[in-house]
Amino acid sequence: MTHELSETPGAGPDTSASGHPSRRPRRNKVPEVTAYFWIIKVLCTTVGETAADLLNEKAGLGLTGVSVLMSALLAVVLAVQFRTSAYRAGVYWLAVALISVVGTLISDNLTDNMGVPLETTTSVFAVLLAVTFVVWYRRERTLSIHSIDTTGREAYYWLAVLFTFALGTAGGDLVSERMDLGYPLAAVLFALAIAAVAIAHFALGLDAVWSFWIAYVLTRPLGASIGDYLSQPGGDGGLGLGTVVTSGLFLAVILGLVAYLAVTRKDVTDPARVTPRAA
């Protein structure tokens, strides 16, 4: 995969001392994929599961009320994210945390409130995600997360992220219900699936873009299994920590890691890796 430079829309090209135009690196709007990325992603996924349960059950808002509230909050945060000129750790990860909750709620509403079978929701979200990728690629000629440097690409990115959370929720629930594995074994199963993707990428040459998005989908049921195992009562196969303790614990770790990244900027993409828009 090649990574080139792209010009900044709305601005004239840079001019060198000789008077010839030169290319200006664009700034990516999402973080570099590091170990920190995957750790925070799984933690956000876990919080998405436990926070949705907490607001639904403890706050008494119900699925519909929680869905409206969290969708409104997500819309505000995404508006801020789109207005930033480059990746900002705090804004970006807040959007991921909220979209994890909203994706979970979309799947739960369809299944619990509308009675749509998990087989159907899993299939529909898989198709929607595939369509998003097809349209994204046809319009931009790349799905690389190193090139989320225009409003259009960012819109496709966040739409894909939303569908990955919804798909991961529906698919994870489907596997858990059909196989009746219990939370610890389900977590091990999804962790092994992610490890298989990593091996396919590093040892067998599976494309980096597809490796990323497959793993991104699989981290949703992995995080949900971990969250359920920690929060659910012992009689249901969990440790009984409750949604309040589990959500608070994971949020504290997320805040610590995000603050660290905001200061060190260890996950900021090198501008030289940004890919230009197709001609």
Side-chain angles (χ1 to χ4, degrees), residues 198-236:
I199 292 172
H201 171 59
F202 290 109
L204 303 178
L206 180 63
D207 181 75
V209 172
W210 293 115
S211 299
F212 170 82
W213 285 111
I214 293 170
Y216 203 95
V217 171
L218 290 172
T219 53
R220 170 57 184 78
L222 170 64
S225 298
I226 294 172
D228 286 336
Y229 177 60
L230 294 173
S231 62
Q232 295 304 308
D236 294 334

Side-chain angles (χ1 to χ4, degrees), residues 83-103:
R83 288 178 64 85
T84 60
S85 60
Y87 164 64
R88 299 286 182 267
V91 177
Y92 174 86
W93 286 111
L94 179 57
V96 172
L98 288 172
I99 210 167
S100 72
V101 177
V102 172

Side-chain angles (χ1 to χ4, degrees), residues 70-240:
M70 300 310 294
S71 296
L73 289 174
L74 175 61
V76 172
V77 174
L78 282 179
V80 175
Q81 165 67 22
F82 273 86
R83 288 178 64 85
T84 60
S85 60
Y87 164 64
R88 299 286 182 267
V91 177
Y92 174 86
W93 286 111
L94 179 57
V96 172
L98 288 172
I99 210 167
S100 72
V101 177
V102 172
T104 298
L105 291 169
I106 290 174
S107 179
D108 288 346
N109 267 291
L110 290 172
T111 303
D112 298 339
N113 281 352
M114 301 180 185
V116 181
L118 286 170
E119 294 87 349
T120 301
T121 56
T122 301
S123 300
V124 168
F125 289 134
V127 170
L128 289 174
L129 182 59
V131 169
T132 300
F133 284 143
V134 169
V135 176
W136 181 357
Y137 187 79
R138 287 177 65 88
R139 292 291 301 273
E140 303 292 340
R141 309 309 298 174
T142 179
L143 299 177
S144 172
I145 63 166
H146 296 117
S147 62
I148 310 302
D149 58 345
T150 67
T151 300
R153 288 180 178 181
E154 191 173 10
Y156 289 125
Y157 174 85
W158 286 111
L159 186 60
V161 168
L162 175 62
F163 288 143
T164 62
F165 276 109
L167 173 60
T169 300
D173 290 346
L174 178 61
V175 171
S176 298
E177 289 188 10
R178 290 293 179 271
M179 301 181 70
D180 194 23
L181 296 175
Y183 303 129
L185 285 179
V188 170
L189 173 65
F190 291 117
L192 289 174
I194 294 171
V197 174
I199 292 172
H201 171 59
F202 290 109
L204 303 178
L206 180 63
D207 181 75
V209 172
W210 293 115
S211 299
F212 170 82
W213 285 111
I214 293 170
Y216 203 95
V217 171
L218 290 172
T219 53
R220 170 57 184 78
L222 170 64
S225 298
I226 294 172
D228 286 336
Y229 177 60
L230 294 173
S231 62
Q232 295 304 308
D236 294 334
L239 292 181

